[in-house]
Amino acid sequence: MATGTETETGFGDRNIGRAPLVAAFIAVQLLAFVAAFLLERPTWYAFFMVGSAAVTAYALDGSPFTIATATAGSLLMVALGLPLFLFVARQSPSLVLEKALDPDVQRVLYLGVYGPLLAAVLSLLLGVPLAHLLAQGFAGQQFVESLVDLPLVVPHSVAGIIILFGFGQNGAFPRLSVLGTMVGMVLAMTFVAAPYAVNTTREAFETIDVRLEYASRIHGANRWQTFRRVTGPLAVRGMITGGVLAWARAVSEFGAVAVVAYSVSFFYPPAGGQVTAQHAPVFVYNSYLQGGLDESGAVAFLLLGVSALVFLVVRYLTDSNATGGGISR
């Protein structure tokens, strides 16, 4: 418990403000990385990042626990961030621009957004009712939960084979064309992305106070009206977040799509008709095999931009100040 006799350590954010501190920390990190990159000594920046995190933790808090956690966390940030920074810094702007203007790459990027969007919508349409049931609980729930989470641990290529056994030739729907079709691509993406939509939406349902639903029922609303006016609006942020996470997961899917739908035909508005293209991760892999690291890196940079956009959308939608739930009237 804080008392009036405590002495503030360092330059806490109460004196300077959190935003300027974060901006200054990021600026120093960028300058250090640029210097290490120009000197061709990225290892120096790794040491600097770990050391600066420890020093900043000491200046802001001073406790051994905070210093230890900041230092350990910065090691993971080095493993995640340093390869990403080097990847971005080593891209050729002219080659990236050339790839961005390539109609084939534009089709791939369009498909890389459009296909996952269909998978995310399908995941939500079928996943929200299941998430609501899981939040309420029922007999045999553990079996259903295990089935929902199974795609998270199944190797991606195995997921594609499972889709072909289940929905391909001699599968559950013999007349449904899956191999090499848009339907097969969306099914493969939905298989790996649906757990994110179901689990995130379920957590949103579980945070709702059951007394609100009970109050709605005793005032005469049936279960459909209660869901539409109370439960659904209160959980809408979780639904949106689950849908965006499912979309992001589908964007990055490679193995299942490569097995089920290596290349597909789809309606491409700029061409005004059907075109054939590959999912973005599959196209990047082929670019690496045929054109090497530079060619694939430029396409991957564009795909990274799409993924970063998805991340920003997730952060915006999950910001408490950006969206509001509430009970509809």
Side-chain angles (χ1 to χ4, degrees):
M1 181 177 178
T3 66
T5 59
E6 289 180 345
T7 302
E8 294 183 5
T9 59
F11 44 94
D13 56 4
R14 279 176 289 182
N15 295 330
I16 300 178
R18 179 174 299 178
L21 280 175
V22 173
F25 184 82
I26 294 175
V28 170
Q29 294 296 323
L30 289 176
L31 288 174
F33 173 76
V34 170
F37 178 77
L38 294 177
L39 294 173
E40 298 182 353
R41 293 289 189 275
T43 306
W44 292 0
Y45 175 69
F47 291 135
F48 174 82
M49 188 173 183
V50 176
S52 62
V55 171
T56 303
Y58 173 77
L60 292 177
D61 189 279
S63 70
F65 178 80
T66 302
I67 296 173
T69 53
T71 303
S74 63
L75 291 174
L76 180 60
M77 291 306 298
V78 167
L80 297 176
L82 188 56
L84 180 62
F85 294 163
L86 290 173
F87 166 76
V88 174
R90 288 174 175 168
Q91 294 306 309
S92 169
S94 59
L95 184 57
V96 172
L97 180 60
E98 177 186 342
K99 292 298 180 183
L101 298 176
D102 187 341
D104 290 337
V105 175
Q106 292 173 1
R107 294 173 183 176
V108 167
L109 294 178
Y110 175 82
L111 180 62
V113 175
Y114 173 63
L117 179 61
L118 295 179
V121 171
L122 184 60
S123 298
L124 282 179
L125 286 177
L126 303 179
V128 169
L130 179 58
H132 188 255
L133 290 175
L134 291 173
Q136 291 187 325
F138 55 88
Q141 181 172 346
Q142 291 79 6
F143 173 77
V144 177
E145 289 175 341
S146 301
L147 196 59
V148 170
D149 292 336
L150 188 61
L152 298 175
V153 298
V154 169
H156 298 178
S157 56
V158 175
I161 293 173
I162 291 174
I163 291 295
L164 291 180
F165 268 95
F167 301 104
Q169 190 176 15
N170 300 323
F173 305 97
R175 295 185 178 181
L176 183 65
S177 180
V178 171
L179 185 62
T181 66
M182 192 69 190
V183 173
M185 174 180 284
V186 173
L187 282 176
M189 290 178 175
T190 303
F191 185 84
V192 299
Y196 295 88
V198 174
N199 291 330
T200 306
T201 306
R202 173 191 173 182
E203 292 176 0
F205 283 135
E206 290 177 340
T207 60
I208 297 174
D209 191 340
V210 293
R211 290 175 296 183
L212 295 175
E213 296 176 313
Y214 178 73
S216 175
R217 295 295 304 277
I218 64 174
H219 282 85
N222 58 35
R223 299 196 68 175
W224 285 104
Q225 292 170 329
T226 299
F227 184 86
R228 182 169 63 85
R229 296 179 177 177
V230 180
T231 311
L234 288 175
V236 67
R237 186 181 300 162
M239 297 179 196
I240 295 173
T241 302
V244 176
L245 288 176
W247 181 33
R249 177 63 188 84
V251 167
S252 63
E253 178 54 28
F254 172 77
V257 173
V259 171
V260 176
Y262 187 78
S263 61
V264 297
S265 296
F266 59 97
F267 179 76
Y268 184 53
Q274 294 284 323
V275 298
T276 300
Q278 297 170 335
H279 186 37
V282 179
F283 185 83
V284 170
Y285 179 69
N286 285 332
S287 298
Y288 171 71
L289 294 179
Q290 299 172 5
L293 202 56
D294 292 339
E295 292 281 334
S296 60
V299 181
F301 180 82
L302 295 172
L303 183 59
L304 178 66
V306 175
S307 301
L309 180 61
V310 172
F311 174 76
L312 290 176
V313 170
V314 171
R315 298 298 298 174
Y316 174 76
L317 293 176
T318 55
D319 186 351
S320 60
N321 296 321
T323 60
I327 302 173
S328 63
R329 298 178 180 177

